[in-house]
PDB file of all heavy atoms in Angstrom:
ATOM      1  N   ALA A 298      47.979  23.528  14.187  1.00  0.00           N
ATOM      2  CA  ALA A 298      49.224  23.884  13.508  1.00  0.00           C
ATOM      3  C   ALA A 298      49.036  23.890  11.996  1.00  0.00           C
ATOM      4  O   ALA A 298      49.723  24.634  11.270  1.00  0.00           O
ATOM      5  CB  ALA A 298      50.329  22.902  13.896  1.00  0.00           C
ATOM      6  N   ARG A 299      48.106  23.066  11.513  1.00  0.00           N
ATOM      7  CA  ARG A 299      47.905  22.976  10.057  1.00  0.00           C
ATOM      8  C   ARG A 299      47.107  24.146   9.493  1.00  0.00           C
ATOM      9  O   ARG A 299      47.225  24.467   8.299  1.00  0.00           O
ATOM     10  CB  ARG A 299      47.186  21.658   9.710  1.00  0.00           C
ATOM     11  CG  ARG A 299      48.008  20.428   9.980  1.00  0.00           C
ATOM     12  CD  ARG A 299      47.443  19.206   9.275  1.00  0.00           C
ATOM     13  NE  ARG A 299      46.202  18.712   9.840  1.00  0.00           N
ATOM     14  CZ  ARG A 299      46.106  17.831  10.830  1.00  0.00           C
ATOM     15  NH1 ARG A 299      47.213  17.366  11.407  1.00  0.00           N
ATOM     16  NH2 ARG A 299      44.934  17.404  11.252  1.00  0.00           N
ATOM     17  N   LEU A 300      46.279  24.774  10.299  1.00  0.00           N
ATOM     18  CA  LEU A 300      45.376  25.813   9.789  1.00  0.00           C
ATOM     19  C   LEU A 300      46.088  26.939   9.040  1.00  0.00           C
ATOM     20  O   LEU A 300      45.622  27.354   7.974  1.00  0.00           O
ATOM     21  CB  LEU A 300      44.517  26.376  10.932  1.00  0.00           C
ATOM     22  CG  LEU A 300      43.430  25.428  11.470  1.00  0.00           C
ATOM     23  CD1 LEU A 300      42.735  26.041  12.672  1.00  0.00           C
ATOM     24  CD2 LEU A 300      42.410  25.097  10.381  1.00  0.00           C
ATOM     25  N   PRO A 301      47.214  27.459   9.542  1.00  0.00           N
ATOM     26  CA  PRO A 301      47.874  28.532   8.762  1.00  0.00           C
ATOM     27  C   PRO A 301      48.575  28.012   7.502  1.00  0.00           C
ATOM     28  O   PRO A 301      49.073  28.807   6.707  1.00  0.00           O
ATOM     29  CB  PRO A 301      48.910  29.091   9.754  1.00  0.00           C
ATOM     30  CG  PRO A 301      48.534  28.554  11.093  1.00  0.00           C
ATOM     31  CD  PRO A 301      47.876  27.246  10.841  1.00  0.00           C
ATOM     32  N   ARG A 302      48.630  26.702   7.334  1.00  0.00           N
ATOM     33  CA  ARG A 302      49.397  26.110   6.234  1.00  0.00           C
ATOM     34  C   ARG A 302      48.509  25.367   5.236  1.00  0.00           C
ATOM     35  O   ARG A 302      48.983  24.514   4.488  1.00  0.00           O
ATOM     36  CB  ARG A 302      50.447  25.148   6.809  1.00  0.00           C
ATOM     37  CG  ARG A 302      51.465  25.848   7.701  1.00  0.00           C
ATOM     38  CD  ARG A 302      52.392  24.869   8.403  1.00  0.00           C
ATOM     39  NE  ARG A 302      53.450  25.590   9.097  1.00  0.00           N
ATOM     40  CZ  ARG A 302      53.302  26.135  10.314  1.00  0.00           C
ATOM     41  NH1 ARG A 302      52.144  26.020  10.959  1.00  0.00           N
ATOM     42  NH2 ARG A 302      54.296  26.794  10.873  1.00  0.00           N
ATOM     43  N   LEU A 303      47.224  25.637   5.228  1.00  0.00           N
ATOM     44  CA  LEU A 303      46.304  24.866   4.394  1.00  0.00           C
ATOM     45  C   LEU A 303      46.611  24.992   2.906  1.00  0.00           C
ATOM     46  O   LEU A 303      46.479  24.020   2.153  1.00  0.00           O
ATOM     47  CB  LEU A 303      44.853  25.289   4.667  1.00  0.00           C
ATOM     48  CG  LEU A 303      44.278  24.857   6.023  1.00  0.00           C
ATOM     49  CD1 LEU A 303      42.833  25.344   6.173  1.00  0.00           C
ATOM     50  CD2 LEU A 303      44.326  23.332   6.186  1.00  0.00           C
ATOM     51  N   ASN A 304      46.999  26.181   2.460  1.00  0.00           N
ATOM     52  CA  ASN A 304      47.303  26.334   1.037  1.00  0.00           C
ATOM     53  C   ASN A 304      48.462  25.419   0.631  1.00  0.00           C
ATOM     54  O   ASN A 304      48.420  24.755  -0.411  1.00  0.00           O
ATOM     55  CB  ASN A 304      47.636  27.790   0.699  1.00  0.00           C
ATOM     56  CG  ASN A 304      46.400  28.665   0.664  1.00  0.00           C
ATOM     57  OD1 ASN A 304      45.280  28.168   0.637  1.00  0.00           O
ATOM     58  ND2 ASN A 304      46.593  29.973   0.680  1.00  0.00           N
ATOM     59  N   GLU A 305      49.495  25.386   1.463  1.00  0.00           N
ATOM     60  CA  GLU A 305      50.644  24.515   1.191  1.00  0.00           C
ATOM     61  C   GLU A 305      50.232  23.044   1.238  1.00  0.00           C
ATOM     62  O   GLU A 305      50.594  22.244   0.370  1.00  0.00           O
ATOM     63  CB  GLU A 305      51.740  24.775   2.223  1.00  0.00           C
ATOM     64  CG  GLU A 305      52.941  23.851   2.060  1.00  0.00           C
ATOM     65  CD  GLU A 305      53.810  23.797   3.312  1.00  0.00           C
ATOM     66  OE1 GLU A 305      53.604  24.627   4.227  1.00  0.00           O
ATOM     67  OE2 GLU A 305      54.675  22.900   3.385  1.00  0.00           O
ATOM     68  N   ILE A 306      49.428  22.682   2.260  1.00  0.00           N
ATOM     69  CA  ILE A 306      49.026  21.285   2.437  1.00  0.00           C
ATOM     70  C   ILE A 306      48.180  20.814   1.263  1.00  0.00           C
ATOM     71  O   ILE A 306      48.444  19.746   0.674  1.00  0.00           O
ATOM     72  CB  ILE A 306      48.281  21.113   3.774  1.00  0.00           C
ATOM     73  CG1 ILE A 306      49.262  21.264   4.942  1.00  0.00           C
ATOM     74  CG2 ILE A 306      47.557  19.768   3.828  1.00  0.00           C
ATOM     75  CD1 ILE A 306      48.600  21.396   6.299  1.00  0.00           C
ATOM     76  N   PHE A 307      47.191  21.602   0.901  1.00  0.00           N
ATOM     77  CA  PHE A 307      46.328  21.195  -0.209  1.00  0.00           C
ATOM     78  C   PHE A 307      47.079  21.242  -1.536  1.00  0.00           C
ATOM     79  O   PHE A 307      46.780  20.460  -2.458  1.00  0.00           O
ATOM     80  CB  PHE A 307      45.056  22.034  -0.262  1.00  0.00           C
ATOM     81  CG  PHE A 307      43.997  21.574   0.709  1.00  0.00           C
ATOM     82  CD1 PHE A 307      43.648  22.350   1.803  1.00  0.00           C
ATOM     83  CD2 PHE A 307      43.375  20.350   0.543  1.00  0.00           C
ATOM     84  CE1 PHE A 307      42.685  21.912   2.705  1.00  0.00           C
ATOM     85  CE2 PHE A 307      42.408  19.903   1.430  1.00  0.00           C
ATOM     86  CZ  PHE A 307      42.062  20.686   2.522  1.00  0.00           C
ATOM     87  N   GLY A 308      48.033  22.132  -1.649  1.00  0.00           N
ATOM     88  CA  GLY A 308      48.857  22.148  -2.847  1.00  0.00           C
ATOM     89  C   GLY A 308      49.626  20.840  -3.002  1.00  0.00           C
ATOM     90  O   GLY A 308      49.750  20.305  -4.114  1.00  0.00           O
ATOM     91  N   ARG A 309      50.126  20.334  -1.885  1.00  0.00           N
ATOM     92  CA  ARG A 309      50.861  19.054  -1.935  1.00  0.00           C
ATOM     93  C   ARG A 309      49.908  17.889  -2.217  1.00  0.00           C
ATOM     94  O   ARG A 309      50.244  16.991  -2.998  1.00  0.00           O
ATOM     95  CB  ARG A 309      51.576  18.822  -0.586  1.00  0.00           C
ATOM     96  CG  ARG A 309      52.306  17.485  -0.498  1.00  0.00           C
ATOM     97  CD  ARG A 309      53.438  17.396  -1.512  1.00  0.00           C
ATOM     98  NE  ARG A 309      54.052  16.063  -1.548  1.00  0.00           N
ATOM     99  CZ  ARG A 309      53.641  15.053  -2.298  1.00  0.00           C
ATOM    100  NH1 ARG A 309      52.604  15.221  -3.117  1.00  0.00           N
ATOM    101  NH2 ARG A 309      54.263  13.884  -2.281  1.00  0.00           N
ATOM    102  N   ILE A 310      48.737  17.905  -1.603  1.00  0.00           N
ATOM    103  CA  ILE A 310      47.755  16.849  -1.865  1.00  0.00           C
ATOM    104  C   ILE A 310      47.343  16.876  -3.336  1.00  0.00           C
ATOM    105  O   ILE A 310      47.184  15.838  -3.975  1.00  0.00           O
ATOM    106  CB  ILE A 310      46.521  17.009  -0.950  1.00  0.00           C
ATOM    107  CG1 ILE A 310      46.911  16.820   0.521  1.00  0.00           C
ATOM    108  CG2 ILE A 310      45.428  16.003  -1.335  1.00  0.00           C
ATOM    109  CD1 ILE A 310      45.798  17.160   1.502  1.00  0.00           C
ATOM    110  N   GLU A 311      47.220  18.100  -3.883  1.00  0.00           N
ATOM    111  CA  GLU A 311      46.813  18.225  -5.282  1.00  0.00           C
ATOM    112  C   GLU A 311      47.870  17.650  -6.226  1.00  0.00           C
ATOM    113  O   GLU A 311      47.527  17.124  -7.298  1.00  0.00           O
ATOM    114  CB  GLU A 311      46.516  19.685  -5.625  1.00  0.00           C
ATOM    115  CG  GLU A 311      45.857  19.849  -6.991  1.00  0.00           C
ATOM    116  CD  GLU A 311      45.359  21.258  -7.225  1.00  0.00           C
ATOM    117  OE1 GLU A 311      46.173  22.203  -7.086  1.00  0.00           O
ATOM    118  OE2 GLU A 311      44.165  21.430  -7.527  1.00  0.00           O
ATOM    119  N   GLN A 312      49.146  17.731  -5.860  1.00  0.00           N
ATOM    120  CA  GLN A 312      50.173  17.086  -6.685  1.00  0.00           C
ATOM    121  C   GLN A 312      49.864  15.598  -6.823  1.00  0.00           C
ATOM    122  O   GLN A 312      50.068  14.997  -7.880  1.00  0.00           O
ATOM    123  CB  GLN A 312      51.550  17.278  -6.055  1.00  0.00           C
ATOM    124  CG  GLN A 312      52.090  18.692  -6.138  1.00  0.00           C
ATOM    125  CD  GLN A 312      53.441  18.811  -5.428  1.00  0.00           C
ATOM    126  OE1 GLN A 312      54.152  17.813  -5.241  1.00  0.00           O
ATOM    127  NE2 GLN A 312      53.798  20.018  -5.026  1.00  0.00           N
ATOM    128  N   TRP A 313      49.386  15.001  -5.719  1.00  0.00           N
ATOM    129  CA  TRP A 313      49.044  13.568  -5.750  1.00  0.00           C
ATOM    130  C   TRP A 313      47.765  13.334  -6.551  1.00  0.00           C
ATOM    131  O   TRP A 313      47.717  12.448  -7.400  1.00  0.00           O
ATOM    132  CB  TRP A 313      48.885  13.051  -4.320  1.00  0.00           C
ATOM    133  CG  TRP A 313      48.507  11.604  -4.266  1.00  0.00           C
ATOM    134  CD1 TRP A 313      49.365  10.542  -4.346  1.00  0.00           C
ATOM    135  CD2 TRP A 313      47.192  11.059  -4.146  1.00  0.00           C
ATOM    136  NE1 TRP A 313      48.659   9.356  -4.281  1.00  0.00           N
ATOM    137  CE2 TRP A 313      47.320   9.637  -4.170  1.00  0.00           C
ATOM    138  CE3 TRP A 313      45.918  11.614  -4.037  1.00  0.00           C
ATOM    139  CZ2 TRP A 313      46.222   8.786  -4.070  1.00  0.00           C
ATOM    140  CZ3 TRP A 313      44.816  10.766  -3.942  1.00  0.00           C
ATOM    141  CH2 TRP A 313      44.966   9.363  -3.965  1.00  0.00           C
ATOM    142  N   THR A 314      46.709  14.139  -6.311  1.00  0.00           N
ATOM    143  CA  THR A 314      45.440  13.903  -7.019  1.00  0.00           C
ATOM    144  C   THR A 314      45.585  14.122  -8.521  1.00  0.00           C
ATOM    145  O   THR A 314      44.906  13.475  -9.315  1.00  0.00           O
ATOM    146  CB  THR A 314      44.299  14.806  -6.486  1.00  0.00           C
ATOM    147  OG1 THR A 314      44.652  16.194  -6.657  1.00  0.00           O
ATOM    148  CG2 THR A 314      44.018  14.530  -5.012  1.00  0.00           C
TER     149      THR A 314
END
Side-chain angles (χ1 to χ4, degrees):
R299 293 196 289 272
L300 289 175
R302 298 173 172 82
L303 289 180
N304 285 346
E305 177 198 349
I306 290 168
F307 279 111
R309 177 64 187 88
I310 296 172
E311 190 170 54
Q312 289 177 22
W313 179 84
T314 60

